[in-house]
Amino acid sequence: MSDPTGRAAPPEPNVLSLAFVEELYARYLRDPSSVPAPWRAYFDRRGPGEPDGAFEERPQIGPSLSPGTLFAAAEPRTAPKTAIELQDRVDQLIRAYRNRGHMVARIDPLGRPREPQPELDPAHYGFTEEHMDLRFSVDTIHGARMMTLREIVRRMQNTYCRSIGVQFNYIENVRIRRWLAARMESTENRLPLSRDDQWRILTRLTDAVIFEEFIQKKFVGAKSFSLEGAETLIPLLDLAIEKSGRSGIAEIVIGMAHRGRLNVLANILGKSPRWIFREFRDTGEGEAAGDVKYHLGYSRDWVTSDGRTVHLSLCFNPSHLEFVDPVAMGRLRAKQDRAGDARGERGLLVLIHGDAAFAGEGVVQETLNMSRLPAYQVGGTLHIIVNNQIGFTTPPEQARSTRYATDLAKMLQIPLFHVNGEDPEAVAQAVDLALDFRMAFGRDAVIDMYCFRRRGHNEGDEPSFTQPLLYKAIRARKSVRESYLEHLQALPDPVSREEADRLVDERRRTLEAELSASEAPEATDGAPQSSFRGIWSAYKGGRDKDVPEVDTSVPRPRLQALLERLSAVPEGFAVHPKIERLLQARREMAAGKRPLDWAAAEALAFATLATEGVRVRLTGQDSERGTFSHRHAVLHDQENGSTYMPLAHLAPDQAPVVISNSPLSEVGVLGFEYGYSLDMPEALVIWEAQFGDFSNVAQVIIDQFIASAEAKWNRLSGLVLLLPHGFEGMGPEHSSARLERFLMLAVRDNMQVVNLTTPAQFFHCLRRQVLRPWRKPLVVMSPKSLLRHPRAVSSLDALAAGRFARILPDPGADAAAAPPDRILICSGKIYYELVEAREALGRSEVPVIRVEQLYPLSNEELRGALAGYPRGTRVLWVQEEPSNMGAWPAIRLRFGDTLFGSWPLELVSRPPASSPATGSASRHRREQQEILERAFA
């Protein structure tokens, strides 16, 4: 017998004749009724009209068959129906292993029994021992054509049911499924390792185990959030970094919570153990003075075994576990953008999760959802779950509604590799496969490393209070290093106990020396490096008053030229009629025929910065158009749907401008943009909330990172938050950006909070944010009604010759009138309502002073604005917000009952309330009118 290529093929006594099948198929094509019904039914199923991908794991039947596509196993005289059914059942068995093998895989190092899966037993399909040595077609198993049923079962069990259980057959992309099956089944899911590779794994396990033992002995009872029980994380990271370096990765950003962080700092990031030991003694010096030692970040250059350099950055992280995920993602995206690494081939994000947190915290889903969006993607993230099989004291059955902690990640159509952490060589295979998948498809990959937590949640906790049986089993376990050493001792080229013991002794001596060095108060070797180096060397934090102001003006001709470019579209681009009117209005602004509105001033701020070489990035919900239909930064052709962004077409050498809609997410997107700002200090980076109160959902990022990072970690950020704010009768959730919360967090010049009233002020504020070398977050109470308010406009000259003013005196008060009986001070939109009420009442003598920058608040400038008015004149702070909200609590706390001991200070506002605003538009108008009346009463 030979195949159609002419190659000789030996007869297969236990396989149906190929010639018989070909003849039968040819008859079927000529006259289907001439073929026996079982064969006809089978050929019908394999016909040309079959949908793509259906039955893809069965051999293709066609007019020309080769020995590799033989599909039945039986004696030549076996009836076709029986032969087809047997092959069909074999195919079902193979599919079952791919679908369900993970459910019996030995992934739990504690060896707890798993639920049997009858579909993995050949007997389930009617096979007996008599069938085990019959040969079947296995075209879908990479590199094989025919195998006995016994060989098939062994191959499938070794691939899917040993120390690695893989979920992948739900992936819709056939190419990905086939790639994964081929990679795993061809190697039986094992990575060939040399003795040097195995020694390296043992060395890294030794590093991890001895470090933990040393900490527990030398700092008894101190919190370290030990890695004991999960020490394989250290060789896992070592393998990942080495492989990444060989693949061309030059930058790795790592985000993780506190479990095992000290071990990672010492054994992966290369932080000197002496400094970790000094932090245990809590002398109050260095970076540890601002946060606990297991929250700190670090960076270093790692030189791989083949001489390549990979820069590692471990992000600082508070105890809000997973909230570092989008921050780390933003950091890597900034590094990739700077390097021009659009495909993510030179940068890698590694996120290390806990099992309970991965399943339980919503920010994980937000981060996963961003992974393939153009404005946020980083080329795929390597997720590593340190699966302790318990939360604080909570077992999985009380912590999630899914079989695995990783089930959420199925949404990305990616493989999930569940692996036994006590089989380091299986972990090596999972790392190798996950990183190759990431490089091949640009998608995330998940390694779910099952292990255990030898101690309680922290070193002072007693876990057996609530988990007596679990911890009885854990206490009986030897260390993973010891079990792996026993495995290596049993190999043909074994590692001796003497070699391993010498390694242990060497590591202990090193740590003892580091401990002694840590006790010398003058020791500086290995000290953490300053945050202000590299890309941050040109920037500073500290006090606002210590950094001079800068010139933010732009010559008028340049503003006019840019505004013309901003109003131009390509020839043939079909602009919406309403947008055309907007563009025409901008042309008139450029010609000086009408003043600038808010959106035009913003666009000019972006345009002037971009043409000066400053990258601009703005994301948020519906930010391309603008929630209030004011921005229209991205235009849509009304005929073909194509888009055009004028800001990206200003000059050949301009810096990039990214304005992108974000997913319906706050905490994830704000975290991402904060992370981006950490590694792009020279850029204007903005997150815009659809409504200001949406920042409620991102409060963890605001509290734990934006407001406190300088104090905790000596890290700066120039991130801008645009939070629409203003009482327009739109209800409780669409009125207040919770100004009071930001002012409550504002201390020691850690951020800037502004509530601006003119387009020119906004223009200069944005430019100042980048052009000053001072890097602090900027919170803008962004307007809504002022976007189109006829009084909230500015001239081109105000942009060309002006500058940002923290306090705006009243240009409309009548200096010749009688001395005022009151001075009104306000911030934001209510200024225009007060001016209109003053005009209506004929009270031109009453000044209305605007505080544009609420924090840092300049006493000197405020005192200067009051200097022209008699001491003892009543000062009324007027605000729209209830008295327990808005700026008043901070103003009252700062000044008390009088301003500078000279001007009595009172409040005009809504009464205190638990809800920011009413939902009734008519009631809102009455309340607003009452505020105005009281201001002038």
Side-chain angles (χ1 to χ4, degrees):
M1 184 171 66
S2 64
D3 69 15
T5 65
R7 292 176 300 184
E12 301 281 0
N14 287 341
V15 180
L16 281 172
S17 164
L18 173 62
F20 169 78
V21 176
E22 288 184 322
E23 178 185 350
L24 202 62
Y25 188 72
R27 284 171 49 194
Y28 167 81
L29 294 175
R30 291 193 302 270
D31 179 11
S33 63
S34 68
V35 176
W39 285 103
R40 186 166 65 248
Y42 187 83
F43 291 145
D44 286 345
R45 290 172 66 193
R46 302 301 301 177
E50 181 182 354
D52 289 345
F55 310 112
E56 78 281 358
E57 293 181 353
R58 299 182 54 167
Q60 194 70 31
I61 300 298
S64 178
L65 301 179
S66 68
T69 58
L70 292 174
F71 61 95
E75 294 293 333
R77 294 180 300 279
T78 301
K81 180 177 180 181
T82 305
I84 295 171
E85 286 181 350
L86 287 174
Q87 179 66 51
D88 223 16
R89 292 171 187 175
V90 169
D91 293 341
Q92 290 178 41
L93 178 63
I94 292 172
R95 284 197 296 274
Y97 271 101
R98 291 169 178 163
N99 283 325
R100 306 177 73 82
H102 63 90
M103 299 177 73
V104 298
R106 299 187 297 274
I107 58 176
D108 185 357
L110 299 177
R112 287 172 290 193
R114 308 198 71 189
E115 182 180 348
Q117 300 296 314
E119 294 167 79
L120 305 182
D121 185 351
H124 178 76
Y125 304 92
F127 292 119
T128 66
E129 180 61 28
E130 294 179 356
H131 297 95
M132 296 305 289
D133 292 317
L134 296 179
R135 294 168 64 80
F136 292 84
S137 167
V138 287
D139 269 12
T140 64
I141 297 179
H142 180 78
R145 295 185 306 175
M146 307 291 298
M147 295 175 68
T148 67
L149 180 57
R150 193 181 310 278
E151 291 170 332
I152 292 170
V153 171
R154 182 191 61 78
R155 176 77 66 90
M156 293 295 105
Q157 286 182 341
N158 285 347
T159 301
Y160 298 112
C161 303
R162 288 192 295 180
S163 296
I164 301 177
V166 187
Q167 291 178 277
F168 74 103
N169 235 24
Y170 53 82
I171 297 174
E172 297 167 3
N173 187 308
V174 175
R175 186 168 69 93
I176 291 178
R177 288 204 309 272
R178 287 176 174 169
W179 185 93
L180 287 164
R183 280 294 305 272
M184 293 185 289
E185 293 168 10
S186 63
T187 64
E188 298 186 2
N189 239 353
R190 280 285 168 173
L191 181 68
L193 295 172
S194 67
R195 190 183 189 279
D196 287 344
D197 295 330
Q198 293 168 325
W199 177 255
R200 185 178 182 113
I201 291 173
L202 180 64
T203 300
R204 293 317 233 156
L205 283 174
T206 302
D207 293 339
V209 169
I210 299 306
F211 180 85
E212 294 296 346
E213 288 180 1
F214 193 85
I215 292 292
Q216 299 306 321
K217 290 178 181 178
K218 301 297 182 179
F219 303 98
V220 178
K223 285 185 180 181
S224 66
F225 294 95
S226 165
L227 190 61
E228 289 172 282
E231 292 97 336
T232 306
L233 176 64
I234 299 304
L236 188 162
L237 290 173
D238 177 89
L239 290 162
I241 296 166
E242 287 287 316
K243 181 175 179 63
S244 298
R246 293 193 300 271
S247 303
I249 296 293
E251 189 92 41
I252 298 179
V253 175
I254 304 172
M256 69 179 296
H258 46 264
R259 175 74 53 206
R261 190 181 189 89
L262 297 181
N263 210 314
V264 171
L265 280 166
N267 290 315
I268 298 297
L269 272 294
K271 183 174 181 178
S272 173
R274 73 186 61 180
W275 281 92
I276 296 175
F277 300 154
R278 288 170 77 95
E279 290 160 1
F280 268 104
R281 277 196 287 275
D282 193 13
T283 61
E285 62 188 18
E287 292 185 71
D291 201 356
V292 291
K293 52 192 168 293
Y294 38 79
H295 289 171
L296 303 181
Y298 204 76
S299 63
R300 71 168 285 198
D301 283 338
W302 173 295
V303 179
T304 65
S305 55
D306 61 352
R308 304 169 189 258
T309 298
V310 182
H311 186 71
L312 308 180
S313 300
L314 175 65
C315 299
F316 43 81
N317 187 33
S319 285
H320 282 75
L321 302 176
E322 298 291 338
F323 285 84
V324 74
D325 297 351
V327 175
M329 194 177 187
R331 288 194 63 184
L332 180 62
R333 177 57 182 263
K335 292 173 183 289
Q336 291 173 331
D337 283 354
R338 175 178 282 107
D341 182 20
R343 295 173 57 85
E345 296 173 341
R346 293 185 56 76
L348 171 67
L349 176 61
V350 177
L351 295 179
I352 304 170
H353 313 268
D355 53 312
F358 192 86
E361 296 197 15
V363 68
V364 174
Q365 186 277 337
E366 295 192 20
T367 305
L368 293 174
N369 185 53
M370 291 191 293
S371 68
R372 293 184 58 76
L373 303 181
Y376 307 96
Q377 62 189 9
V378 293
T381 296
L382 176 63
H383 298 271
I384 300 167
I385 298 177
V386 179
N387 195 330
N388 293 311
Q389 307 185 72
I390 191 171
F392 189 159
T393 65
T394 305
E397 58 268 22
Q398 292 179 315
R400 61 177 186 261
S401 298
T402 56
R403 177 183 297 272
Y404 295 110
T406 56
D407 282 351
L408 171 68
K410 288 181 178 179
M411 63 184 275
L412 295 186
Q413 296 282 294
I414 58 175
L416 308 175
F417 303 104
H418 309 284
V419 60
N420 189 323
E422 284 202 348
D423 186 344
E425 296 188 6
V427 170
Q429 163 69 359
V431 171
D432 191 71
L433 188 53
L435 287 174
D436 280 350
F437 172 82
R438 186 255 181 197
M439 290 297 290
F441 298 102
R443 300 189 182 198
D444 293 20
V446 178
I447 298 175
D448 181 16
M449 188 181 77
Y450 270 68
C451 46
F452 52 85
R453 191 185 67 201
R454 189 172 291 279
R455 300 179 184 273
H457 176 68
N458 61 60
E459 282 61 30
D461 184 53
E462 177 48 69
S464 62
F465 286 160
T466 56
Q467 304 295 330
L469 300 182
L470 174 63
Y471 275 85
K472 182 178 180 181
I474 289 173
R475 284 192 294 271
R477 303 295 298 177
K478 62 184 69 174
S479 76
V480 62
R481 176 194 173 275
E482 186 63 27
S483 61
Y484 186 57
L485 176 58
E486 291 175 358
H487 164 72
L488 297 184
Q489 287 178 304
L491 296 178
D493 184 12
V495 171
S496 71
R497 171 67 65 175
E498 291 72 19
E499 288 179 279
D501 288 347
R502 283 197 298 272
L503 182 60
V504 169
D505 292 340
E506 177 188 326
R507 293 302 188 262
R508 285 175 177 160
R509 284 196 300 270
T510 298
L511 292 177
E512 287 287 358
E514 289 290 301
L515 181 63
S516 297
S518 72
E519 296 169 355
E522 70 281 0
T524 58
D525 291 348
Q529 295 177 311
S530 168
S531 307
F532 301 101
R533 54 194 177 91
I535 60 172
W536 277 97
S537 59
Y539 305 99
K540 63 179 67 177
R543 301 295 298 273
D544 175 33
K545 66 180 183 180
D546 297 332
V547 181
E549 290 292 344
V550 293
D551 182 8
T552 56
S553 63
V554 177
R556 181 184 175 106
R558 183 161 164 249
L559 292 171
Q560 291 176 302
L562 287 172
L563 206 46
E564 286 285 354
R565 294 300 304 269
L566 290 169
S567 61
V569 295
E571 184 177 352
F573 191 91
V575 180
H576 190 283
K578 291 185 178 180
I579 305 300
E580 176 54 40
R581 289 197 291 273
L582 179 147
L583 298 178
Q584 179 57 36
R586 290 193 176 173
R587 296 184 194 108
E588 294 173 8
M589 294 174 193
K593 296 179 180 178
R594 68 161 65 193
L596 301 173
D597 61 15
W598 203 276
E602 177 192 79
L604 281 173
F606 296 163
T608 55
L609 290 171
T611 52
E612 292 167 18
V614 175
R615 182 187 294 266
V616 176
R617 178 182 169 90
L618 164 64
T619 70
Q621 293 159 14
D622 306 296
S623 286
E624 292 181 359
R625 190 201 79 172
T627 295
F628 309 103
S629 195
H630 67 288
R631 180 173 292 122
H632 294 291
V634 178
L635 307 179
H636 295 255
D637 189 294
Q638 299 301 296
E639 301 296 332
N640 59 31
S642 63
T643 60
Y644 179 76
M645 188 169 72
L647 280 163
H649 299 85
L650 301 171
D653 58 348
Q654 73 171 82
V657 177
V658 172
I659 297 180
S660 179
N661 296 332
S662 77
L664 192 64
S665 160
E666 287 83 35
V667 67
V669 174
L670 179 56
F672 185 100
E673 301 307 336
Y674 173 74
Y676 195 96
S677 73
L678 294 176
D679 277 86
M680 194 71 76
E682 71 274 24
L684 178 64
V685 184
I686 304 174
W687 174 67
E688 181 179 54
Q690 194 169 59
F691 283 94
D693 62 290
F694 286 18
S695 63
N696 290 345
V697 187
Q699 199 66 43
V700 171
I701 301 296
I702 294 167
D703 290 351
Q704 302 299 323
F705 291 94
I706 293 173
S708 56
E710 185 177 11
K712 292 192 294 189
W713 310 306
N714 200 28
R715 295 299 192 273
L716 303 179
S717 165
L719 179 65
V720 179
L721 281 65
L722 298 185
L723 308 179
H725 177 84
F727 284 54
E728 276 105 0
M730 300 180 71
E733 277 69 59
H734 290 165
S735 296
S736 176
R738 309 313 296 250
L739 171 61
E740 63 278 358
R741 294 183 182 171
F742 292 98
L743 294 177
M744 179 183 71
L745 292 168
V747 65
R748 297 185 179 179
D749 295 8
N750 62 328
M751 66 173 77
Q752 306 159 88
V753 182
V754 299
N755 195 12
L756 310 175
T757 54
T758 74
Q761 281 283 86
F762 189 42
F763 172 86
H764 290 295
C765 186
L766 291 178
R767 285 180 54 81
R768 181 185 73 153
Q769 178 69 1
V770 180
L771 298 180
R772 286 181 94 195
W774 196 59
R775 284 293 174 270
K776 299 295 177 86
L778 170 64
V779 180
V780 180
M781 297 290 110
S782 185
K784 295 179 287 182
S785 61
L786 296 192
L787 297 173
R788 295 179 180 83
H789 197 289
R791 293 178 183 249
V793 293
S794 298
S795 67
L796 275 172
D797 290 337
L799 279 59
R803 52 163 285 182
F804 179 74
R806 301 171 188 233
I807 307 288
L808 284 176
D810 187 356
D814 189 351
D821 65 344
R822 70 196 64 204
I823 303 166
L824 305 184
I825 303 182
C826 66
S827 185
K829 150 188 170 288
I830 200 169
Y831 164 76
Y832 293 102
E833 294 165 288
L834 289 171
V835 168
E836 290 172 359
R838 180 176 66 183
E839 293 172 354
L841 295 170
R843 298 292 301 277
S844 62
E845 82 284 0
V846 177
V848 184
I849 298 172
R850 284 169 279 177
V851 178
E852 299 281 288
Q853 180 169 296
L854 290 158
Y855 191 85
L857 181 58
S858 170
N859 281 3
E860 294 76 11
E861 294 194 31
L862 181 58
R863 191 193 301 269
L866 293 169
Y869 305 105
R871 293 175 181 269
T873 305
R874 297 166 61 215
V875 172
L876 304 182
W877 178 268
V878 185
Q879 66 177 36
E880 300 177 296
E881 301 91 345
S883 60
N884 58 317
M885 301 179 192
W888 174 247
I891 295 292
R892 183 60 180 267
L893 180 64
R894 178 166 183 155
F895 295 106
D897 295 330
T898 61
L899 285 175
F900 310 113
S902 300
W903 293 274
L905 181 61
E906 303 171 28
L907 170 68
V908 176
S909 74
R910 284 175 167 79
S914 58
S915 175
T918 176
S920 164
S922 59
R923 181 174 175 180
H924 160 78
R925 287 191 293 270
R926 288 198 305 271
E927 292 175 351
Q928 205 77 355
Q929 185 59 35
E930 289 171 5
I931 290 174
L932 300 176
E933 291 172 356
R934 288 171 53 207
F936 289 97

